[in-house]
Amino acid sequence: MTTPRHYITTTIPYVNARPHLGFALELVQADTLARHRRQRGDDVRLLSGTDDNSLKNVLAAEAAGVDVRTLVDRNADAFAALRDPLALSLDDFIRTSSDPRHRAGVERLWRRCAAAGDLYRKTYEGLYCVGCEQFYTPEELDDGRCAEHGTAPQRVAEENWFFRLSRHADRLRELITGGALRIEPAARRNEVLALIDGGLHDFSVSRSHTRARGWGIPVPDDPDQVVYVWWDALGNYVTSLGYGTDDPAYERWWAAGDRRVHLVGKGVVRFHAVYWPAMLLSAGLPLPTDILVHDYLTVGGRKISKSGSGTTVDPVALTAAYGTDAVRWWLLRDVPRVGDADFTEERLIARADADFAGGLGNLVHRIVTMVHRYRAGAVPVLGADRFAVTPLLDVCRAVPGRIDAALGDFDFRRAVDAAWDIVEEANRCIDATRPWELARAERQGNTDAAERLDAVLAALVTACRVLGDELRPFVPGAAERIARQVSPVGGALPEAAPLFGRLREQR
């Protein structure tokens, strides 16, 4: 039986500024999915990277008074450096301006679409938002401004290459409605279908060399034009696999992979769920199987951005102050599947203190303390499901499947809630069985009480071990601490010690 292969990707952000917490959300979500599938025995490749070839990056360099290469390298390094602070299990990281794999793949993709008759040149005039790197019609603007950035687009007129997007509308709709191209949540799928039903227009896929300031990948056989940044960037999902260099990784992970999963923010759904699949159809390549869309993080109701008054949150500084587990936990437990989430440090602290120090930490400490007090640290053998421990063991058995189902639905909050049911059921078990009373009865010679106590302690330690295992994809550091605390050394559990400090007391 062949092991399932999952290729999981994040978007690649512009590097006009340093990373913010909103992109950290996507990284942590993707990492959680990757760790989970690896834990279940699947083969996984997790990719992230940076979108270096953007006019936004050029303008940011001009504003900073540095050359484009200097700014791009500096900020791209900051994105790559998120690996350790966020505990990311990345298998690959691509930079579109410097990775030799990328240009060759972009050129091959371009030539395949050209050979299919889907590229043509024409003169065009339109309203262009540099922030989105996209042309808009007046009807798509909000009172003359880009709804995403709140800025008035520039009027641009030039001759560019265009892609025949309209040719692929019917096939795209068929693939989405039939489930071959899965878009979650349903509201985003409906948004894409409405976009298709409203009529797809061919879009510009190049920029003049002059307007691009010479930055980017030249159009094959037309050096006066530069490949449009979105065409360039979207290609990274296959160029990173060596699509342009005949690397066998392309065949393994894309052409013959079981799941090709893109995690994207709601602001770039059009590009990933319409433009990119159409490009692949034109080139005769397989499409992604899943496009999983998250909403935004906000500060004071305003979208977090890499730069902007009061809306920038540095994920590296946040993990330095409160720890990787606290940051990952808030992103996975408090951010809903649908809808924006407003971030404050107070909310992060409150969640970590309640769940880590007061929930997980307190539960594990109580259980290990009882095992030492009543059984000298030796964990009893888990016997028959009786003595009022069956409900706890039933929850433990059900949780892996519930987590599988929740993550299959791209619902991290529901997945974490499933694991948290073990904490709540373990506490109920302690309250119902009252191990301290069973220990007192045992000392008085009650053999039935001794058997009951063994069963209860064994079930409680089992619950902690399941927690330590099932939480690894979400908070690998915290899960490892739990696992060590309930793993015998020399026949006995380590002495009970606090697993998590209270962040409020550390401020």
Side-chain angles (χ1 to χ4, degrees):
M1 181 176 177
T2 304
T3 302
R5 291 195 292 269
H6 296 252
Y7 178 44
I8 301 173
T9 73
T10 72
T11 55
I12 54 173
Y14 300 131
V15 291
N16 56 309
R18 294 175 64 83
H20 61 71
L21 188 63
F23 184 58
L25 168 66
E26 186 170 302
L27 286 169
V28 169
Q29 288 180 336
D31 180 73
T32 299
L33 292 180
R35 287 177 180 272
H36 173 70
R37 292 319 318 169
R38 291 189 194 107
Q39 186 180 47
R40 296 299 191 248
D42 297 345
D43 287 339
V44 174
R45 185 181 180 94
L46 176 61
L47 169 73
S48 189
T50 55
D51 182 356
D52 299 356
N53 296 327
S54 166
L55 180 58
K56 287 180 71 169
N57 301 336
V58 175
L59 297 179
E62 291 178 355
V66 300
D67 66 86
V68 182
R69 172 56 63 193
T70 297
L71 178 131
V72 164
D73 287 349
R74 181 176 65 208
N75 289 334
D77 286 345
F79 279 91
L82 292 173
R83 180 191 297 262
D84 290 339
L86 294 175
L88 304 176
S89 59
L90 292 170
D91 297 292
D92 196 3
F93 189 94
I94 188 168
R95 289 191 49 200
T96 58
S97 70
S98 58
D99 194 311
R101 296 173 294 179
H102 188 61
R103 178 169 175 170
V106 169
E107 290 175 344
R108 175 176 286 187
L109 186 63
W110 182 280
R111 294 185 190 281
R112 289 286 292 265
C113 292
D118 280 337
L119 297 178
Y120 63 95
R121 281 190 74 148
K122 78 168 185 176
T123 300
Y124 183 80
E125 182 175 349
L127 299 170
Y128 192 74
C129 173
V130 176
C132 295
E133 294 278 16
Q134 177 183 349
F135 281 103
Y136 284 104
T137 64
E139 295 75 24
E140 292 175 311
L141 300 175
D142 184 2
D143 196 23
R145 295 179 175 273
C146 166
E148 182 77 10
H149 294 94
T151 56
Q154 303 172 358
R155 182 161 289 279
V156 174
E158 62 184 20
E159 186 177 7
N160 298 141
W161 287 92
F162 274 70
F163 175 73
R164 298 185 194 278
L165 180 65
S166 54
R167 175 181 288 181
H168 303 283
D170 291 344
R171 181 59 177 150
L172 281 175
R173 195 180 206 293
E174 178 184 334
L175 290 166
I176 293 169
T177 56
L181 177 55
R182 173 182 174 236
I183 303 170
E184 292 290 346
R188 299 301 169 199
R189 179 171 64 254
N190 294 337
E191 174 187 320
V192 171
L193 290 172
L195 186 65
I196 295 171
D197 290 344
L200 296 181
H201 304 287
D202 297 353
F203 69 99
S204 171
V205 292
S206 72
R207 302 291 180 260
S208 71
H209 185 275
T210 301
R211 188 156 69 88
R213 314 292 206 273
W215 184 256
I217 297 175
V219 168
D221 307 316
D222 190 355
D224 290 337
Q225 295 277 308
V226 171
V227 175
Y228 171 44
V229 65
W230 271 104
W231 179 287
D232 173 327
L234 289 165
N236 94 92
Y237 302 125
V238 294
T239 66
S240 62
L241 298 172
Y243 166 69
T245 60
D246 296 321
D247 189 315
Y250 170 77
E251 178 68 25
R252 174 175 174 78
W253 295 104
W254 192 268
D258 295 283
R259 308 303 298 183
R260 299 173 290 276
V261 182
H262 297 326
L263 273 75
V264 309
K266 65 179 178 181
V268 296
V269 173
R270 175 198 301 250
F271 302 102
H272 286 83
V274 179
Y275 290 9
W276 174 232
M279 290 161 58
L280 293 168
L281 286 173
S282 175
L285 304 181
L287 272 59
T289 58
D290 304 83
I291 298 174
L292 308 179
V293 187
H294 62 83
D295 287 351
Y296 289 149
L297 295 186
T298 60
V299 172
R302 298 168 58 198
K303 178 191 171 189
I304 287 179
S305 64
K306 292 195 288 289
S307 59
S309 177
T311 62
T312 299
V313 179
D314 180 356
V316 176
L318 209 60
T319 58
Y322 303 114
T324 297
D325 289 325
V327 174
R328 286 181 65 114
W329 189 247
W330 187 86
L331 291 171
L332 296 168
R333 186 144 166 81
D334 278 26
V335 174
R337 181 171 184 259
V338 177
D340 297 342
D342 205 60
F343 172 80
T344 67
E345 289 190 20
E346 180 59 34
R347 287 174 181 151
L348 183 149
I349 291 168
R351 173 58 72 187
D353 282 354
D355 288 359
F356 285 167
L360 282 168
N362 183 59
L363 175 68
V364 175
H365 192 273
R366 287 180 75 190
I367 291 170
V368 174
T369 297
M370 287 190 291
V371 173
H372 275 276
R373 182 174 297 158
Y374 307 136
R375 293 295 180 264
V379 181
V381 176
L382 184 63
D385 295 357
R386 54 194 182 117
F387 305 128
V389 298
T390 299
L392 175 58
L393 296 175
D394 285 346
V395 169
C396 290
R397 280 189 284 266
V399 160
R402 292 173 58 198
I403 290 176
D404 290 351
L407 292 183
D409 288 340
F410 191 51
D411 194 335
F412 296 92
R413 179 184 276 182
R414 197 173 98 221
V416 170
D417 286 347
W420 201 254
D421 281 352
I422 296 177
V423 176
E424 295 178 343
E425 189 60 42
N427 281 321
R428 280 192 287 270
C429 179
I430 293 172
D431 292 341
T433 60
R434 304 176 72 82
W436 50 93
E437 292 185 357
L438 293 175
R440 186 182 309 120
E442 178 186 28
R443 289 193 296 271
Q444 295 170 353
N446 187 326
T447 57
D448 182 62
E451 291 181 18
R452 286 177 180 270
L453 183 56
D454 279 344
V456 169
L457 293 177
L460 290 171
V461 172
T462 296
C464 291
R465 289 172 177 165
V466 174
L467 274 170
D469 196 39
E470 293 301 320
L471 288 177
R472 285 184 187 278
F474 306 94
V475 279
E480 179 61 26
R481 288 196 289 277
I482 293 170
R484 285 199 303 264
Q485 183 68 88
V486 291
S487 296
V489 177
L493 299 182
E495 290 287 342
L499 296 181
F500 311 101
R502 291 191 175 274
L503 298 183
R504 198 176 307 281
E505 296 172 359
Q506 300 172 15
R507 298 185 77 182

